[in-house]
Amino acid sequence: FKAVLRFLLNLISLPILTAYTLKFKPSVIYSNSSTTPIGIFLSIILRIPHIWHIRELGKLDYNLDYDFGKKYFYYFMRKSDAIISISQFVKDSLFKGDWKNITIINNAVYSKDNVESLNVSIENRKDKAFTFLIMSIVHPSKGIHDAIEALAKIKKDISDVMLIVCGEDEDNQYRNYLNDLIKNLDLVEQVSFRGFVDKPFEMYKIADAVLVCSRNEAWGRVAAEAMVSGKPVIGYN
């Protein structure tokens, strides 16, 4: 039902976007996500080259199913002049068989400003709680509940420990579940949700270790950022 609604919304949007695109006269149309086909629709109508940047695993990371099935998804993928895969893992997971128009380009990890912020001396942390950091949206696929349950076990031996979670709430039901879990495990003082942060490298700077608890990641940017920051990473095997 939602797939049909999304398809109709795209059809309604097409005349407006087509008129704007004709006025703008681009040389190429670039779609920055696999979750919407509107770019390829425009490309076909206006006969303009199309590039598709694939950043998601779909079912493996966000439990997303393709509208109208995989055949529909792959039909339009093959219509693209080029496909950029964010990692080898994404390419191997989504594009099996003979695909000649795929290039793997990893994300950039840090900018000059981020590197300069890392050079700032880190304050003495001897009198502070050992701090674990999770940088991710609050979603079941990110495994934050595993980190909370592990923290409860650590607390039995080391009381001076904290977990900071930075990221937007993507699933209210899951966030409520996490809140209940924190209360039941007596971790209200140890777990802190900070929401979205504009300067993630500032958070890496105050952390002692970074956790990546998701079962699958399209690329794993957080692990790379943590290592650039000189922080140990505990990841899902």
Side-chain angles (χ1 to χ4, degrees), residues 163-193:
L163 170 63
I164 298 175
V165 182
C166 296
E168 292 180 344
D169 290 348
E170 291 285 326
D171 187 314
N172 290 331
Q173 186 176 357
Y174 181 60
R175 176 60 189 274
N176 291 334
Y177 165 74
L178 294 180
N179 290 340
D180 290 339
L181 183 64
I182 290 166
K183 290 177 183 176
N184 292 337
L185 294 175
D186 192 26
L187 295 173
V188 175
E189 298 297 322
Q190 281 73 38
V191 182
S192 171
F193 288 90

Side-chain angles (χ1 to χ4, degrees), residues 11 14 63 81 83 93-94 106 108 132 138 156-157 174 196 204-205 217-218:
L11 287 183
L14 265 177
N63 198 32
D81 295 83
I83 298 171
S93 299
L94 298 183
N106 299 134
F132 292 102
V138 181
K156 293 178 181 178
D157 298 318
Y174 181 60
F196 177 79
Y204 291 120
K205 199 162 61 176
E217 284 286 347

Side-chain angles (χ1 to χ4, degrees), residues 144-155 185 187 211:
I144 299 171
H145 53 283
D146 288 336
I148 292 171
E149 290 174 1
L151 191 73
K153 295 181 179 181
I154 294 171
K155 187 186 173 184
L185 294 175
L187 295 173
L211 307 181

Side-chain angles (χ1 to χ4, degrees), residues 2-232:
K2 288 181 180 179
V4 174
L5 282 179
R6 281 192 289 267
F7 180 73
L8 291 174
L9 180 62
N10 282 329
L11 287 183
I12 293 168
S13 303
L14 265 177
I16 300 168
L17 292 171
T18 301
Y20 179 81
T21 307
L22 283 170
K23 183 179 178 181
F24 182 67
K25 297 180 181 178
S27 302
V28 63
I29 294 175
Y30 166 80
S31 295
N32 198 33
S33 169
S34 63
T35 59
T36 175
I38 195 73
I40 191 67
F41 292 168
L42 275 172
S43 170
I44 293 170
I45 291 170
L46 299 175
R47 298 182 181 181
I48 298 172
H50 181 261
I51 298 174
W52 216 324
H53 204 149
I54 310 303
R55 301 177 177 278
E56 307 86 15
L57 289 165
K59 195 71 175 176
L60 284 176
D61 48 9
Y62 295 112
N63 198 32
L64 296 175
D65 290 306
Y66 299 114
D67 289 348
F68 311 113
K70 284 187 177 180
K71 286 185 178 180
Y72 174 82
F73 171 76
Y74 288 123
Y75 173 80
F76 285 110
M77 281 290 155
R78 290 193 182 274
K79 290 286 185 182
S80 280
D81 295 83
I83 298 171
I84 299 172
S85 172
I86 201 173
S87 67
Q88 185 71 46
F89 182 45
V90 168
K91 180 180 182 294
D92 293 344
S93 299
L94 298 183
F95 301 102
K96 302 181 188 302
D98 185 27
W99 289 80
K100 297 179 181 179
N101 61 338
I102 300 178
T103 301
I104 298 169
I105 303 177
N106 299 134
N107 273 348
V109 179
Y110 57 86
S111 67
K112 182 181 177 182
D113 291 340
N114 288 333
V115 174
E116 289 175 351
S117 73
L118 291 176
N119 291 330
V120 178
S121 60
I122 300 172
E123 58 188 316
N124 191 324
R125 299 186 48 81
K126 290 181 180 179
D127 60 339
K128 293 189 177 182
F130 189 95
T131 303
F132 292 102
L133 175 67
I134 292 180
M135 298 285 289
S136 80
I137 58 172
V138 181
H139 186 276
S141 66
K142 297 302 182 179
I144 299 171
H145 53 283
D146 288 336
I148 292 171
E149 290 174 1
L151 191 73
K153 295 181 179 181
I154 294 171
K155 187 186 173 184
K156 293 178 181 178
D157 298 318
I158 306 168
S159 60
D160 204 16
V161 65
M162 279 191 66
L163 170 63
I164 298 175
V165 182
C166 296
E168 292 180 344
D169 290 348
E170 291 285 326
D171 187 314
N172 290 331
Q173 186 176 357
Y174 181 60
R175 176 60 189 274
N176 291 334
Y177 165 74
L178 294 180
N179 290 340
D180 290 339
L181 183 64
I182 290 166
K183 290 177 183 176
N184 292 337
L185 294 175
D186 192 26
L187 295 173
V188 175
E189 298 297 322
Q190 281 73 38
V191 182
S192 171
F193 288 90
R194 302 287 179 89
F196 177 79
V197 292
D198 289 322
K199 298 180 178 180
F201 279 85
E202 293 296 319
M203 299 307 302
Y204 291 120
K205 199 162 61 176
I206 67 171
D208 293 294
V210 178
L211 307 181
V212 181
C213 301
S214 43
R215 301 292 198 272
N216 295 285
E217 284 286 347
W219 189 68
R221 181 188 180 100
V222 168
E225 288 179 343
M227 288 189 283
V228 165
S229 304
K231 301 297 178 176

